[in-house]
């Protein structure tokens, strides 16, 4: 039995029993490999399971020739180069939500520790001092807590901090006023949040636009004596600018669970500051969160490799098992259309438009279908391994624009899919439908009615529609011992241009193609294996 090989880069296996004991999966645990080790190791693996201990860079992804799936056992995928994964067609999944409560509770712990100097007082007491005046703190009641990011963790923090009688405000351009109001949170502009908050807590992902969001300039807009908490991602706060603001007193104290570099540079001046509470990226580190995440990760990996289910992917729409089963026959249909069309398209392509006709397509994931078509269409022209993730990206890189349209009702068929390929000279169309889950038909080619079973060996002949040609084709094939299973002629008008499709029982040679092309009235012959 084939075993899918998964590389895991951290030690804790609690909750991973389903994955570790699965007969079709082999998990190799190599904790904290260096970047160089990872780049060498990854060549052998189809799956990679990580937390934040490694950076999956472009170089690592480029060496990962067998890799199909990267799973981040946690929320943040900022340690994975998603663009590189997209290009290579690797699915990246995370487990959003599994550690929300843990991260929220840790944030609250940091807020309380920070406002009451708990770690500093603890250290002082343990070293034999009784310094009651030194560690006078602040109450939370009546103060304003400003949340940057009102997603999963931000919202849970808001709910709980209301119990401290705080006024909660938030900046998050991607949530609605109604949602915030339901949580008892006032939505503010970024500038107003900076101005009005006594404590600012960060709950946003680290992206190009949030990197260094808290810097010298934004800190200068905050209240004097503001307090800042970061339990989201290192690098959202500029650590040098924070250090200067802590030194000047502009920021009276801070609590940091995450750092620009992890583990951080302990010689940095920031670590000498008395008014900062530090934890070593512990937001998600609870037994409950680790087990919850590990169980979900196990199921995600097993279902992906054994059933094709895509769950929690960050670079492709997710497909559950039911949806995957529903999509399977349509995937086969569009792949057949794509391959056939790639043979019939004679010039460089500018645009591909896929039209989905029928009520059913309103409820299914047509992005996957369009990607499957593009994958099949391009597969003869590119030497990159194409799949659902990278095919549309590669097409766009080659200057081909991809469009999807949907129509609720068609004319003759209840549901069908039409692929329209535009080149500088022509427009080529092919439509296909499902007869049953295992049986599809091409019903239209370049505006001509068709009845083609897109299966097996097919000879396509472009010819003038005149008497005698079909007979000659039959004779040549018969003389060469090629049995015809089915044949049909697509034509717009009698006597005009026609396309003849012949399903044959065996493959034909290039010499036989040349012999057919010698027949007067035949312009082109192609052999296609679908
Ligand atoms: P989430 O996706 O549920 O919420 C993030 C919110 O940020 C979203 O509502 C989004 O609209 C908002 N947002 C995005 N860009 C923004 C911007 N520029 N300004 C304002 N709002 C913006 O994510 P989450 O699960 O709540 O996680 C939040 C952060 O916490 C992530 O960075 C995650 O990696 C981190 N995290 C850290 C730990 C830890 O151990 N310290 C644990 C879990 C999660
Ligand atoms: C996360 O993003 O899930 C947390 O930061 C936890 C972790 O890094 O493992």
């Amino acid at each position: 039995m084939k075993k899918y090989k998964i590389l895991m880069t951290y030690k804790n296996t609690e909750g991973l029993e389903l994955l570790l004991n699965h007969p079709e999966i082999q998990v190799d645990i190599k904790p904290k490999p260096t970047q160089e080790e990872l780049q060498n190791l990854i060549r052998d693996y189809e799956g990679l399971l990580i937390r934040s201990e490694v950076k999956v860079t472009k170089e690592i992804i480029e060496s990962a020739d067998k890799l199909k799936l990267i799973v981040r056992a946690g929320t943040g995928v900022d340690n994975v180069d998603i663009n590189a994964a997209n290009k290579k067609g690797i699915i990246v999944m995370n487990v959003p939500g599994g550690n929300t409560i843990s991260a929220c509770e840790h944030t609250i712990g940091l807020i309380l520790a920070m406002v009451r100097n708990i770690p500093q007082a603890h250290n002082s007491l343990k070293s034999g001092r009784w310094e009651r005046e030194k560690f006078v703190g602040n109450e939370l009641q009546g103060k304003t807590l400003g949340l940057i990011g009102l997603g999963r963790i931000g919202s849970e923090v808001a709910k709980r901090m209301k119990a401290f009688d705080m006024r909660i405000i938030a900046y998050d351009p991607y949530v609605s006023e109604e949602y915030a109001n339901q949580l008892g949170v006032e939505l503010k502009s970024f500038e107003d949040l900076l101005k009005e908050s006594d404590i600012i807590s960060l709950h946003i992902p680290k992206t190009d636009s949030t990197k260094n969001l808290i810097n010298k300039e934004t800190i200068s807009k905050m209240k004097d004596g503001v307090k800042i908490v970061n339990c989201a991602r290192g690098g959202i706060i500029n650590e040098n600018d924070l250090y200067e603001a802590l030194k000047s007193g502009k920021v009276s104290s801070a609590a940091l669970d995450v750092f620009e570099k992890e583990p951080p540079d302990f010689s940095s001046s920031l670590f000498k500051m008395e008014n900062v509470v530090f934890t070593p990226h512990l937001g998600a580190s609870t037994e409950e969160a680790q087990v919850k995440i590990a169980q979900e990760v196990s199921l995600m990996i097993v279902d992906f490799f054994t059933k094709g289910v895509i769950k929690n992917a960050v670079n492709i729409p997710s497909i559950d098992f039911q949806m995957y089963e529903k999509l399977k026959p349509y995937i086969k249909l569009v792949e057949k259309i794509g391959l056939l069309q790639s043979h019939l398209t004679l010039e460089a392509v500018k645009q591909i438009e896929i039209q989905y006709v029928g009520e059913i397509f309103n409820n299914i994931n047509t992005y996957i279908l369009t990607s499957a078509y593009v994958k099949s269409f391009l597969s003869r022209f590119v030497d990159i391994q194409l799949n659902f993730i990278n095919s549309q990206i590669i097409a766009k890189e080659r200057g081909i624009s991809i469009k999807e349209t949907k129509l609720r009702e068609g004319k003759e068929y209840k549901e069908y899919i039409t692929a329209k390929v535009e080149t500088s000279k022509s427009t080529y169309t092919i439509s296909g439908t499902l007869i049953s889950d295992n049986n599809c038909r091409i019903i239209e080619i370049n505006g001509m009615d068709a009845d083609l079973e897109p299966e097996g060996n097919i000879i396509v002949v472009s010819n003038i529609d005149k008497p005698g040609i079909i007979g000659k084709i039959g004779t040549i094939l018969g003389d060469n011992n090629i049995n015809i299973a089915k044949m049909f002629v697509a034509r717009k008008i009698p006597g005009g241009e026609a396309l003849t499709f012949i399903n044959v029982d065996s493959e034909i040679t290039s010499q036989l193609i040349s012999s057919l092309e010698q027949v007067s009235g035949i312009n082109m012959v192609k052999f296609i294996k679908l």
Side-chain angles (χ1 to χ4, degrees):
M1 181 189 293
K2 174 175 168 47
K3 285 214 177 212
Y4 298 98
K5 287 183 76 184
I6 314 292
L7 175 66
M8 176 172 161
T9 57
Y10 59 93
K11 258 199 259 169
N12 187 351
T13 56
E14 210 186 336
L16 286 177
E17 293 74 18
L18 175 77
L19 183 69
L20 298 174
N21 300 326
H22 198 282
E24 289 175 62
I25 287 179
Q26 172 187 326
V27 181
D28 295 335
I29 305 176
K30 304 267 156 62
K32 291 194 185 164
T34 62
Q35 290 301 104
E36 211 184 335
E37 285 165 346
L38 183 58
Q39 190 163 357
N40 281 326
L41 280 169
I42 199 68
R43 297 176 210 277
D44 281 340
Y45 290 90
E46 285 149 300
L48 175 64
L49 173 56
I50 57 166
R51 280 190 187 157
S52 52
E53 64 292 324
V54 288
K55 280 207 184 322
V56 188
T57 57
K58 186 166 168 248
E59 291 68 35
I60 285 170
I61 287 175
E62 277 169 2
S63 338
D65 285 336
K66 295 187 183 157
L67 197 64
K68 295 191 174 56
L69 176 68
I70 300 171
V71 176
R72 164 70 164 95
T75 310
V77 284
D78 49 307
N79 55 336
V80 179
D81 187 330
I82 304 285
N83 286 334
N86 283 343
K87 258 185 127 168
K88 192 103 187 190
I90 297 169
I91 294 184
V92 181
M93 298 179 180
N94 69 348
V95 189
N99 55 29
T100 299
I101 299 303
S102 294
C104 153
E105 290 177 359
H106 195 71
T107 304
I108 294 170
L110 288 174
I111 293 176
L112 291 169
M114 175 182 69
V115 296
R116 302 305 294 269
N117 305 304
I118 293 171
Q120 297 90 331
H122 167 88
N123 288 339
S124 150
L125 192 71
K126 282 198 49 159
S127 62
R129 293 195 296 276
W130 185 258
E131 300 180 295
R132 295 188 64 211
E133 274 159 33
K134 186 171 173 190
F135 296 118
V136 173
N138 292 105
E139 282 187 352
L140 294 176
Q141 187 174 35
K143 303 282 176 0
T144 299
L145 173 64
L147 302 172
I148 302 185
L150 195 61
R152 284 176 293 261
I153 300 171
S155 300
E156 294 301 330
V157 171
K159 280 188 215 162
R160 286 157 179 77
M161 293 315 282
K162 296 281 303 170
F164 284 87
D165 270 346
M166 295 192 83
R167 171 183 174 234
I168 320 278
I169 62 174
Y171 166 64
D172 188 328
Y174 311 107
V175 304
S176 69
E177 196 94 37
E178 281 150 290
Y179 174 76
N181 291 344
Q182 272 167 19
L183 290 171
V185 174
E186 298 164 49
L187 271 191
K188 294 278 171 184
S189 68
F190 184 52
E191 303 274 318
D192 285 347
L193 180 133
L194 298 181
K195 250 192 279 166
E196 294 177 29
S197 305
D198 298 299
I199 299 174
I200 294 178
S201 186
L202 302 176
H203 301 287
I204 48 178
K206 183 179 170 200
T207 61
D208 287 345
S209 62
T210 62
K211 198 172 158 199
N212 276 326
L213 184 73
I214 304 300
N215 57 34
K216 195 173 169 191
E217 195 208 325
T218 48
I219 291 175
S220 72
K221 296 180 180 159
M222 297 177 189
K223 270 189 181 179
D224 289 341
V226 65
K227 297 175 191 296
I228 302 178
V229 180
N230 188 5
C231 191
R233 273 293 176 271
I236 300 174
I237 300 182
N238 179 307
E239 287 175 3
N240 277 335
D241 293 353
L242 177 66
Y243 165 72
E244 293 297 337
L246 283 160
K247 217 168 60 168
S248 72
K250 172 74 188 177
V251 175
S252 63
S253 52
L256 304 176
D257 183 48
V258 285
F259 302 89
E260 276 172 6
K261 193 168 135 254
E262 293 183 2
D265 172 7
F266 293 107
S267 66
S268 131
S269 313
L270 191 59
F271 286 96
K272 303 198 171 60
M273 297 308 288
E274 273 291 313
N275 47 352
V276 187
V277 174
F278 299 102
T279 50
H281 203 146
L282 293 183
S285 298
T286 62
E287 286 172 18
E288 293 82 353
Q290 300 307 325
V291 170
K292 236 186 285 173
I293 289 177
Q295 286 169 343
E296 182 149 8
V297 155
S298 298
L299 206 60
M300 279 157 51
I301 298 177
V302 168
D303 280 356
F304 175 79
F305 283 109
T306 63
K307 296 185 192 154
V309 173
I310 301 174
K311 194 176 170 208
N312 295 338
V314 299
N315 56 349
I316 190 172
S318 291
I319 326 175
D320 61 21
F321 187 60
Q322 260 179 327
M323 177 56 81
Y324 180 68
E325 287 293 301
K326 206 166 167 180
L327 281 176
K328 258 194 327 205
Y330 292 103
I331 289 177
K332 188 172 163 206
L333 171 64
V334 290
E335 283 178 347
K336 299 276 183 193
I337 296 178
L339 193 55
L340 179 61
Q341 203 150 31
S342 75
H343 282 277
L344 301 184
T345 303
L346 304 175
E347 307 90 26
V349 179
K350 288 198 314 199
Q351 180 175 286
I352 292 173
E353 180 183 341
I354 313 289
Q355 185 169 66
Y356 296 94
V357 183
E359 195 65 46
I360 185 164
F361 295 112
N362 288 315
N363 305 319
I364 68 176
N365 189 325
T366 49
Y367 178 86
I368 303 277
L369 296 181
T370 301
S371 299
Y373 167 90
V374 175
K375 167 175 88 79
S376 192
F377 182 88
L378 284 186
S379 60
R380 292 180 50 245
F381 308 119
V382 299
D383 54 7
I384 302 166
Q385 200 66 35
L386 293 169
N387 65 14
F388 298 149
I389 316 274
N390 63 359
S391 61
Q392 294 205 41
I393 297 168
I394 303 286
K396 281 175 196 154
E397 267 183 13
R398 279 157 201 258
I400 303 173
S401 72
I402 313 283
K403 243 172 99 178
E404 251 191 49
T405 51
K406 289 189 185 185
L407 272 184
R408 278 183 183 272
E409 270 175 45
K411 288 175 226 147
E412 287 170 44
Y413 290 83
K414 196 163 153 242
E415 64 207 35
Y416 57 93
I417 299 171
T418 301
K420 186 162 138 195
V421 172
E422 289 200 20
T423 70
S424 46
K425 286 201 187 138
S426 258
T427 300
Y428 299 86
T429 60
I430 297 186
S431 306
T433 192
L434 288 182
I435 305 288
S436 68
D437 277 0
N438 298 317
N439 205 343
C440 47
R441 280 286 181 286
I442 301 300
I443 53 170
E444 177 269 342
I445 298 174
N446 297 340
M448 299 177 277
D449 285 344
D451 177 19
L452 174 69
E453 195 178 334
E455 209 54 71
N457 305 309
I458 298 173
I459 302 170
V460 184
V461 180
S462 159
N463 58 286
I464 308 289
D465 179 39
K466 66 174 189 183
I469 292 195
I470 302 293
K472 282 187 188 142
I473 295 173
T475 307
I476 295 173
L477 292 178
D479 288 349
N480 285 276
N481 213 16
I482 303 291
N483 193 39
I484 297 178
K486 208 175 159 191
M487 177 157 95
F488 89 90
V489 180
R491 58 178 196 177
K492 277 191 183 140
I493 46 160
E497 286 267 340
L499 276 177
T500 303
F501 292 82
I502 311 161
N503 293 88
V504 288
D505 289 341
S506 45
E507 295 192 14
I508 63 166
T509 60
S510 47
Q511 278 128 306
L512 190 48
I513 293 180
S514 306
S515 313
L516 289 168
E517 279 175 339
Q518 305 300 314
V519 175
S520 150
I522 290 185
N523 304 320
M524 177 212 74
V525 178
K526 277 182 182 275
F527 175 71
I528 305 175
K529 216 171 158 47
L530 287 181

